[in-house]
Amino acid sequence: SLRTTRISAMVFLSAQAAELVTIKTKVNISEKQVEALRKDREAAVKGLFSLKVRQVAFSAALLVSGGEIIGPFNTDTNLIFKNVIENIGNAYNPQTGLFTAPVRGAYHFEFYIHGPGETSHGSGAALMKNEQLICIAYEQQTSLWVNSANGATLLLEVGDVVFLRQWKNTKIGDNNNNHNTFSGHLLFIM
């Protein structure tokens, strides 16, 4: 009977040990599930913040109202597109003419230049990244009006600036029809 009691105790302890192992396994699985849920929640929250940052797009025209011939200048001159058509994400500053990248990513920019046709002055501007010339739009003819356009996709780091610079000795003409525009948008975050 002492032997039976010992065997019963051993069977009971083995059953408890097995149950303890099962409980420990379930706790480990639950802890892993909780950790996975926490990571999913963090990713979702991060995604909500980055979703807001992903919404970056702007278009601006040169003049708010009226008509004007700008230039010629004896040096290259930054253009300030003051008439904001759209500025989602507020990355374009209409006081400085600078677009500042809020996140690292691929961005696309395009611009349209319009000016008077003259024998002595063309119409032209350059797309600039920081102080690097990326591409130009230039046209010259002897009469009427001229139009040119260009664009580029750029990899920008946070804080990089993109703007347009009017070439020296050129003229740009605009009026309420918004012939001269500068636009850009974030394609994707990198």
Side-chain angles (χ1 to χ4, degrees):
S1 89
L2 183 60
R3 184 169 189 224
T4 304
T5 305
R6 283 186 188 168
I7 290 175
S8 292
M10 289 172 88
V11 168
F12 177 75
L13 287 175
S14 290
Q16 278 193 327
E19 189 175 336
L20 190 58
V21 167
T22 302
I23 290 171
K24 196 172 185 181
T25 301
K26 287 180 180 178
V27 167
N28 284 342
I29 290 171
S30 294
E31 286 175 349
K32 287 179 182 175
Q33 289 173 332
V34 166
E35 181 63 20
L37 287 171
R38 185 186 65 74
K39 286 182 180 176
D40 286 349
R41 184 182 60 82
E42 285 177 3
V45 168
K46 188 182 261 185
L48 287 174
F49 286 121
S50 64
L51 178 63
K52 187 174 178 101
V53 171
R54 284 184 210 162
Q55 297 174 351
V56 178
F58 79 96
S59 280
L62 199 54
L63 301 177
V64 174
S65 64
E68 185 178 343
I69 300 293
I70 300 166
F73 302 109
N74 60 6
T75 183
D76 294 347
T77 304
N78 292 356
L79 288 169
I80 299 174
F81 289 75
K82 296 177 182 174
N83 184 6
V84 174
I85 298 165
E86 202 62 67
N87 195 5
I88 300 165
N90 293 315
Y92 176 74
N93 183 332
Q95 278 74 48
T96 63
L98 302 178
F99 171 87
T100 304
V103 294
R104 183 178 193 270
Y107 294 80
H108 183 75
F109 298 92
E110 57 188 47
F111 60 105
Y112 299 87
I113 301 300
H114 176 80
E118 296 182 359
T119 54
S120 58
H121 300 97
S123 292
L127 180 67
M128 306 293 292
K129 174 185 171 186
N130 300 318
E131 284 297 318
Q132 175 190 1
L133 186 145
I134 301 299
C135 61
I136 66 162
Y138 181 86
E139 182 65 44
Q140 184 173 4
Q141 66 185 33
T142 58
S143 63
L144 302 175
W145 293 92
V146 297
N147 297 291
S148 60
N150 212 334
T153 297
L154 303 172
L155 173 61
L156 299 180
E157 301 295 332
V158 173
D160 280 347
V161 293
V162 176
F163 58 96
L164 290 183
R165 182 172 282 165
Q166 183 176 350
W167 277 21
K168 68 180 180 180
N169 203 33
T170 63
K171 290 183 176 182
I172 294 175
D174 210 352
N175 59 29
N176 292 335
N177 293 321
N178 299 326
H179 295 283
N180 296 279
T181 59
F182 177 33
S183 302
H185 61 273
L186 174 64
L187 296 171
F188 49 85
I189 293 174
M190 296 188 59

